[in-house]
Amino acid sequence: MTKSELWFTELQNENLTIGLRINKILHSEQTEYQTMDVVETEQYGTLLVLDGCVMTTDKDEFVYHEMMAHVALHTHPNPKSVLIVGGGDGGVIREAIKHPSVERAVLAEIDGRVVEVSKQYFPNIASGLSDPRVDVQITDGIKYVENHPGEFDVIFIDSTDPIGPAVGLFAKQFYESVSRALKDDGLFVAQTESPFINQDLIQKVQGDVRDLFPITELYLAYVPTYPTGMWSFTMGSKKYHPLRDQQPIRVTDTKYYTEQVHKAAFALPRFVEELIQK
């Protein structure tokens, strides 16, 4: 059988691309906020693309979603109320509600079409969205955070790349709102791109979060379809430290996250240590 010669290529920056062979295009539309495509790839299964950028795939999504959710939720001793800003595919929600202490999980996603298309084409990733503990709010996440002070134990900033509607999710003013939306012992995690090609962004976020939170830490995971594969997350915490206060393992049905991986994620290569110390 002859393989398709149709390829998806993401221009990850002006000097770097990733290319994936496409078997077929499943969905394509222009939403109110962005272009959205769903394609079936040979290597990574079904792929969600927003504004030309890889968001998630069937084959490697578990790395990002598990490491976004479980590091924070195994740092806080009793997370009951959590908020996911962005993340309309539902992957972080799915992982968060695996924790028995979580009573309420709010998803604040600006583009409702991402939620609906994810339910259709990524049913495994979106499986948690129908859970009775989940409250899906189709709204501007920045405004939602501003309007809900003191409500959440943990907040996740599951943003797209810092372009278009996601730019404001990397601003210091937004992190100030996040701090106000957290309870007195709350913490948050944001995805902060690749240490190889987004050094300026990582340094800015680290500086802004350090100004606002007594505990600021960066950790890493490895997502093959994201630029360079090495991906960073920044945690800001009012009280709990992800290593000193790491909780006993509560969730075992994971494919990437383990108690040992939690610890190892904070063991940074020297060039990353130097990057965040500047």
Side-chain angles (χ1 to χ4, degrees):
M1 181 177 177
T2 303
K3 289 189 175 182
S4 166
E5 289 305 319
L6 182 63
W7 287 75
F8 163 76
T9 301
E10 177 189 346
L11 183 64
Q12 298 186 331
N13 69 15
E14 62 183 8
N15 303 309
L16 179 68
T17 67
I18 182 174
L20 295 170
R21 189 189 301 274
I22 296 174
N23 291 329
K24 57 184 174 181
I25 298 171
L26 301 174
H27 182 86
S28 185
E29 70 172 282
Q30 174 70 51
T31 76
E32 182 180 353
Y33 298 98
Q34 56 206 337
T35 61
M36 176 167 54
D37 301 282
V38 181
V39 300
E40 181 186 292
T41 72
E42 185 75 20
Q43 186 68 39
Y44 289 111
T46 310
L47 162 68
L48 175 65
V49 180
L50 297 179
D51 282 338
C53 298
V54 171
M55 291 295 109
T56 196
T57 80
D58 278 337
K59 295 290 179 66
D60 71 353
E61 57 86 11
F62 63 92
V63 180
Y64 176 86
H65 293 134
E66 290 182 13
M67 291 300 284
M68 171 71 84
H70 296 307
V71 173
L73 293 170
H74 282 97
T75 297
H76 196 290
N78 190 29
K80 294 183 177 181
S81 181
V82 304
L83 168 66
I84 295 86
V85 178
D89 55 49
V92 177
I93 283 279
R94 179 196 66 196
E95 297 304 314
I97 61 175
K98 290 179 180 179
H99 287 256
S101 65
V102 172
E103 300 172 354
R104 176 183 180 228
V106 179
L107 176 72
E109 166 62 54
I110 196 169
D111 194 340
R113 288 298 298 153
V114 174
V115 176
E116 295 308 313
V117 168
S118 296
K119 288 178 180 178
Q120 181 177 357
Y121 292 102
F122 299 90
N124 179 56
I125 299 175
S127 60
L129 293 174
S130 59
D131 189 282
R133 292 169 291 170
V134 174
D135 176 13
V136 177
Q137 296 286 324
I138 305 305
T139 185
D140 183 336
I142 294 173
K143 293 180 179 177
Y144 188 92
V145 169
E146 290 175 352
N147 294 331
H148 291 81
E151 284 195 19
F152 298 101
D153 298 302
V154 180
I155 295 176
F156 303 96
I157 315 303
D158 185 7
S159 65
T160 57
D161 295 334
I163 56 175
V167 169
L169 299 177
F170 292 86
K172 187 174 184 178
Q173 182 179 357
F174 176 60
Y175 298 137
E176 291 170 343
S177 297
V178 168
S179 180
R180 289 191 294 270
L182 289 167
K183 296 178 183 178
D184 290 342
D185 64 346
L187 59 92
F188 88 97
V189 169
Q191 74 84 9
T192 44
E193 307 283 307
S194 167
F196 279 109
I197 59 175
N198 302 103
Q199 296 95 335
D200 291 346
L201 180 139
I202 291 171
Q203 287 180 332
K204 180 183 182 301
V205 171
Q206 283 281 306
D208 290 345
V209 176
R210 282 175 184 154
D211 287 345
L212 299 167
F213 289 85
I215 299 168
T216 302
E217 297 290 339
L218 184 129
Y219 65 94
L220 300 174
Y222 299 89
V223 187
T225 51
Y226 287 179
T228 77
M230 178 185 281
W231 211 244
S232 76
F233 303 82
T234 296
M235 177 185 290
S237 177
K238 295 183 177 182
K239 182 177 180 180
Y240 306 114
H241 190 282
L243 296 179
R244 293 193 296 270
D245 298 302
Q246 183 180 353
Q247 301 297 306
I249 198 80
R250 297 168 175 148
V251 175
T252 56
D253 59 334
T254 56
K255 297 170 70 176
Y256 190 93
Y257 179 87
T258 66
E259 184 178 5
Q260 293 73 28
V261 166
H262 180 118
K263 295 182 176 72
F266 293 90
L268 303 178
R270 181 165 291 152
F271 84 96
V272 181
E273 284 186 335
E274 293 174 349
L275 173 66
I276 64 175
Q277 287 168 1
K278 290 181 180 178

